[in-house]
Amino acid sequence: MIKLKTPNLINNYILSALAVAFVFFAVPVATEASETESKLLTEGIENNHVEQLQDLLLEEGYLQQNDISGVYDDQTSIAVKNYQEDHDLMVDGKAGVQTLGALKVLEEGDDHALVADLQETLQEQGYYDGSLDGHFDSETGESVKAFQSEAGIEVDGLAGPETFGVLYYGTSEETTDDADQAVEEKETVEEEATEEETTEEEATDAEASGDASASDDGSSDAEGETYTMEATAYTANCDGCSGVTATGIDLNNNRDANVVAVDPNVIPLGSTVHVEGYGEAVAGDTGGAINGEKIDLHVPTQDEALEFGRQDVEVTVLD
């Protein structure tokens, strides 16, 4: 892996832009989706942090010099999306913790909130049992190497684009190629099976035909599934939070909205879910620590989020 060169100014940028994140790390039951919002750069924001992000994208070849304005405009969003797509990150055009971490390339000696988020994710996946202190020490480096080795990617102890892509989204160029090949092989087998069974299918009765129609209704694999999930709560009413979810829902205009943050690999964004004790909600947000069978529930106030704490709930995907 070629380590991306990063100007010293980005260290100050990330430290200042993400300083609020340490407030959340100090409170064990604090909201996880809110942490991500506090670290997010999105369209419409205008400040020196955006300009420094644009400088990084310029250095990586995703922007031109005349695009550097300090305004998170359409061109910046497109550049971020292109970078995310090229490095197997979630493609949403927003510069959150995974995208910033990939651009920064974390290594031993780094001290800031991005490292704390990396440590927490490694800990959740069983690779790290040290302190979530935001300091990239040798223990953090060894944990990164252990993850890289098991993931089958280059083992160098640097948390860069490929490591972030696999760690947060389970994708890399190698795994993507393997997945594409598996899909092609599966389609070939299915086509052959379909040809062999054509005669039998034509002879089926109305009940079998109805079953076949139901299998092609376009519903997601998760529809109808019920999970037991670890739940936390968050609010848009916090210092540094944008109040706008990953899918564009503006919670500032509706503090009582039933919106939940999910792992899109488990529950597709946009799905309607029923959460035990919370009711029906829209899966309209994501969070840096919301991985696997975890869910974060939007509530009107920070006090309610803290009072909710952590608890296990039944979550059913309705559609």
Side-chain angles (χ1 to χ4, degrees), residues 255-271:
R255 293 290 170 79
D256 295 317
N258 277 19
V259 176
V260 296
V262 299
D263 182 343
N265 293 320
V266 178
I267 298 178
L269 289 175
S271 299

Side-chain angles (χ1 to χ4, degrees), residues 220-227 266-267 273-274 314-318:
S220 70
D221 292 339
E223 184 174 339
E225 291 289 332
T226 297
Y227 305 90
V266 178
I267 298 178
V273 300
H274 181 275
E314 295 292 320
V315 180
T316 300
V317 182
L318 302 179

Side-chain angles (χ1 to χ4, degrees), residues 11 16 18 22 42 45 61 92 107-108 114 135 151 158 188 214 221 232 243 274 280 307 311:
N11 290 321
S16 58
L18 306 185
F22 286 112
T42 60
I45 294 177
D92 58 7
E107 61 183 349
E108 285 196 36
L114 289 173
H135 175 60
L158 302 176
T188 300
D221 292 339
T232 50
H274 181 275
E280 288 192 14
E307 183 180 353
Q311 50 187 284

Side-chain angles (χ1 to χ4, degrees), residues 21-33:
F22 286 112
V23 175
F24 291 100
F25 285 119
V27 183
V29 296
T31 68
E32 282 139 343

Side-chain angles (χ1 to χ4, degrees), residues 134-146:
H135 175 60
F136 200 124
D137 54 12
S138 59
E139 184 177 4
T140 304
E142 290 303 315
S143 298
V144 171
K145 288 179 180 179

Side-chain angles (χ1 to χ4, degrees), residues 187-261:
E187 289 175 348
T188 300
V189 171
E190 289 177 348
E191 288 174 2
E192 292 174 352
T194 300
E195 292 174 359
E196 293 174 357
E197 296 172 2
T198 298
T199 303
E200 182 180 348
E201 289 176 355
E202 290 174 349
T204 54
D205 57 18
E207 181 180 355
S209 297
D211 291 342
S213 298
S215 68
D216 294 328
D217 64 359
S219 60
S220 70
D221 292 339
E223 184 174 339
E225 291 289 332
T226 297
Y227 305 90
T228 299
M229 293 190 163
E230 179 184 287
T232 50
Y234 74 102
T235 178
N237 184 25
C238 62
D239 293 338
C241 298
S242 70
V244 180
T245 72
T247 59
I249 300 173
D250 190 349
L251 299 175
N252 298 305
N253 296 327
N254 188 358
R255 293 290 170 79
D256 295 317
N258 277 19
V259 176
V260 296

